[in-house]
């Protein structure tokens, strides 16, 4: 199983950055990265992408997608079994599309299936 450490990805970015585990358009697993003003320079951006390839494993990355270099990008992941370490409540909830975790615990208000 592939292990992806979201804390290491967060540490590789400036303090003004946010990292979130998502399902892009409800289907493709991805990591969304946003860097607030000023965004990364082109050289810094390339360096960060190299770090992400190292942390995630380039063999597990389908592609990177960005419309503006250094400000906002997605790391699309291959659909292989992965374990995400350092996932926050927001990561789990955004990935699942519902509030599965609330205050660090399983949300007991969800209907049981």
């Amino acid at each position: 199983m592939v292990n992806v450490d979201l804390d290491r990805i967060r540490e590789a970015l400036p303090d003004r950055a946010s990292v979130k585990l998502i399902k892009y358009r409800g289907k493709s697993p991805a990591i969304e990265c946003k860097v607030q003003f000023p965004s990364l320079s082109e050289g810094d951006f390339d360096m960060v992408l190299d770090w992400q390839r190292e942390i995630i494993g380039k063999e597990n990355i389908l592609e990177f997608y960005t419309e503006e270099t250094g400000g906002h990008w997605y790391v699309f992941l291959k659909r292989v079994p992965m374990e995400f370490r350092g996932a926050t409540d927001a990561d789990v909830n955004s990935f699942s599309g519902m509030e599965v975790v609330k205050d660090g615990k399983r949300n007991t208000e969800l209907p049981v299936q």
Side-chain angles (χ1 to χ4, degrees), residues 10 13 33 45 50 75 93 102:
R10 288 182 180 100
L13 294 172
C33 302
F45 179 65
D50 286 341
V75 183
N93 293 336
K102 190 174 184 179

Side-chain angles (χ1 to χ4, degrees), residues 8 49-58 61:
R8 283 189 62 204
L49 295 187
D50 286 341
W51 289 341
Q52 290 184 336
R53 285 183 188 99
E54 187 178 306
I55 294 166
I56 299 167
K58 59 184 171 186
I61 297 173

Side-chain angles (χ1 to χ4, degrees), residues 15-100:
D15 291 339
R16 63 186 185 278
S18 66
V19 174
K20 186 165 58 170
L21 180 64
I22 63 167
K23 279 190 184 173
Y24 187 77
R25 296 188 180 172
K27 296 179 183 178
S28 301
I31 299 171
E32 180 181 27
C33 302
K34 292 182 185 177
V35 178
Q36 300 301 320
F37 310 103
S39 61
L40 298 171
S41 68
E42 193 165 335
D44 289 340
F45 179 65
D46 291 337
M47 183 173 59
V48 166
L49 295 187
D50 286 341
W51 289 341
Q52 290 184 336
R53 285 183 188 99
E54 187 178 306
I55 294 166
I56 299 167
K58 59 184 171 186
E59 67 278 0
N60 302 313
I61 297 173
L62 190 59
E63 69 176 315
F64 288 96
Y65 174 76
T66 185
E67 291 182 5
E68 60 176 78
T69 301
H72 184 200
W73 67 93
Y74 297 92
V75 183
F76 290 101
L77 306 171
K78 291 187 178 175
R79 292 182 183 202
V80 296
M82 292 188 182
E83 178 180 321
F84 295 96
R85 296 183 180 179
T88 64
D89 293 358
D91 290 325
V92 173
N93 293 336
S94 69
F95 192 78
S96 65
M98 64 178 73
E99 192 176 30
V100 175

